[in-house]
Amino acid sequence: MKQSKTSSKVCSCHLSEDKLVKDYFRLDEDVEQMKKIWIENDPNVEKALKETGNLILFRQEPAENLITFLCTQNNNVSRIVKMVENMCSELGEKLIDLDCGDNVQTFFDFPPLERLLCDDITEKLRELGFGYRAPYVQKCAKMIDSNGGMKWLEDLRDNQPYEEAFNKLQSLPGIGKKVADCVCLMSMDKLEAVPIDTHIRKIALRDYSYKLSSKTLTDKTYKDLGNFFREKWGNSAGWAQTILFARSLPQNIHLYQL
């Protein structure tokens, strides 16, 4: 896509475009060294890499990631994308108009935390199709704000160890163990975070002959399974998990190539 001659960019950012791209796509990470560690300890990762290729783990903004995950409860990807797009276009700041050939597409920023605190936000989100998820968004935004807002999230990312961030994120409404791990991994620079869901549980049982101490994922079994993968894949275990997770999905044929 190319930028239209009449494009208007009305957002401002303290980071240069080069820094933004490097930061968001983690281009400064030594992925080759990570792969070396994964492959030395686990031939399954090597097989997965041959099928999926190198996968980029985005470094997403923490509040945006948290609120987006609240949209995922009992939902599918296409509907989640639509909900977030609607929220951004209705409540976010206009970023740019792009000439996409046969049409001009407008992009919007994610709504700031302050907007999600407003009294009308729950009803507004219901109108946008959020259903029962709508009040969770405002409740989560209010608790983030009461904890210190963006500075609190930045402190979890920059100064707190993984387990501390993992536990504190679960104090937020609608945030459980798996989502807390997802946010730690994708937004808090805690690459040792290993989100555990049914896909990863099946992979552990099938490919690693892992023995669960109970049929359900209790706090203990969740932590034990995460530690199992951390011992196998090291400090970047969450990135390796992402590769195996992507490989397990039936739609992995649609993975974007950059």
Side-chain angles (χ1 to χ4, degrees):
M1 295 184 294
K2 62 180 181 178
Q3 187 170 344
S4 168
K5 292 180 180 179
T6 58
S7 294
S8 58
K9 190 172 183 180
V10 295
C11 68
S12 59
C13 184
H14 65 285
L15 296 176
S16 68
E17 290 182 0
D18 182 63
K19 175 72 170 79
L20 274 171
V21 171
K22 286 184 177 180
D23 184 74
Y24 191 76
F25 291 101
R26 298 182 185 269
L27 299 182
D28 292 330
E29 299 278 3
D30 191 349
V31 182
E32 292 304 314
Q33 179 60 27
M34 292 182 197
K35 286 165 57 178
K36 182 179 178 181
I37 294 171
W38 304 334
I39 291 170
E40 283 179 352
N41 296 319
D42 189 353
N44 286 317
V45 176
E46 185 173 16
K47 293 177 183 176
L49 281 167
K50 289 178 180 178
E51 293 182 27
T52 64
N54 292 329
L55 295 185
I56 292 173
L57 184 65
F58 295 155
R59 181 185 281 116
Q60 297 172 280
E61 195 277 321
E64 176 179 339
N65 201 10
L66 275 166
I67 299 302
T68 299
F69 266 110
L70 291 176
C71 303
T72 64
Q73 299 177 22
N74 300 315
N75 219 340
N76 58 65
V77 173
S78 60
R79 189 158 181 266
I80 294 166
V81 171
K82 186 64 175 176
M83 288 165 62
V84 174
E85 285 180 345
N86 288 341
M87 178 167 56
C88 292
S89 62
E90 288 291 326
L91 306 171
E93 179 185 15
K94 180 180 177 180
L95 293 175
I96 197 170
D97 295 320
L98 284 179
D99 185 348
C100 301
D102 54 354
N103 71 307
V104 174
Q105 189 167 354
T106 303
F107 290 87
F108 297 85
D109 198 2
F110 199 84
L113 188 64
E114 295 76 14
R115 180 65 182 93
L116 300 178
L117 297 172
C118 296
D119 292 338
D120 69 333
I121 197 65
T122 295
E123 186 58 35
K124 187 68 176 178
L125 291 177
R126 283 200 177 103
E127 293 172 2
L128 295 175
F130 277 61
Y132 73 89
R133 306 168 191 85
Y136 284 100
V137 172
Q138 187 179 49
K139 289 178 182 177
C140 187
K142 284 186 174 181
M143 185 167 285
I144 292 171
D145 184 62
S146 66
N147 286 337
M150 298 302 294
K151 288 185 178 180
W152 178 68
L153 292 174
E154 290 169 2
D155 179 67
L156 292 184
R157 182 190 63 200
D158 299 334
N159 302 314
Q160 302 301 320
Y162 158 62
E163 286 204 17
E164 185 76 10
F166 173 72
N167 290 327
K168 287 186 175 180
L169 286 171
Q170 290 180 75
S171 69
L172 299 172
I175 304 300
K177 294 187 291 294
K178 188 192 82 170
V179 170
D181 259 340
C182 287
V183 175
C184 280
L185 176 63
M186 302 170 192
S187 298
M188 296 288 179
D189 293 338
K190 319 297 185 192
L191 297 184
E192 67 268 42
V194 180
I196 306 295
D197 67 355
T198 55
H199 294 283
I200 298 303
R201 183 174 180 272
K202 287 178 181 177
I203 288 170
L205 296 173
R206 183 191 67 221
D207 298 340
Y208 297 91
S209 300
Y210 186 81
K211 303 297 183 184
L212 284 171
S213 57
S214 64
K215 292 183 178 181
T216 59
L217 279 177
T218 64
D219 288 348
K220 183 180 185 304
T221 55
Y222 185 97
K223 183 176 182 180
D224 288 346
L225 184 50
N227 286 338
F228 170 79
F229 285 122
R230 278 184 279 274
E231 290 174 8
K232 184 172 290 291
W233 298 328
N235 292 333
S236 58
W239 201 317
Q241 177 262 18
T242 301
I243 294 166
L244 291 183
F245 175 79
R247 181 198 188 197
S248 73
L249 299 177
Q251 66 267 32
N252 66 50
I253 191 173
H254 301 299
L255 291 173
Y256 291 103
Q257 294 186 1
L258 299 180

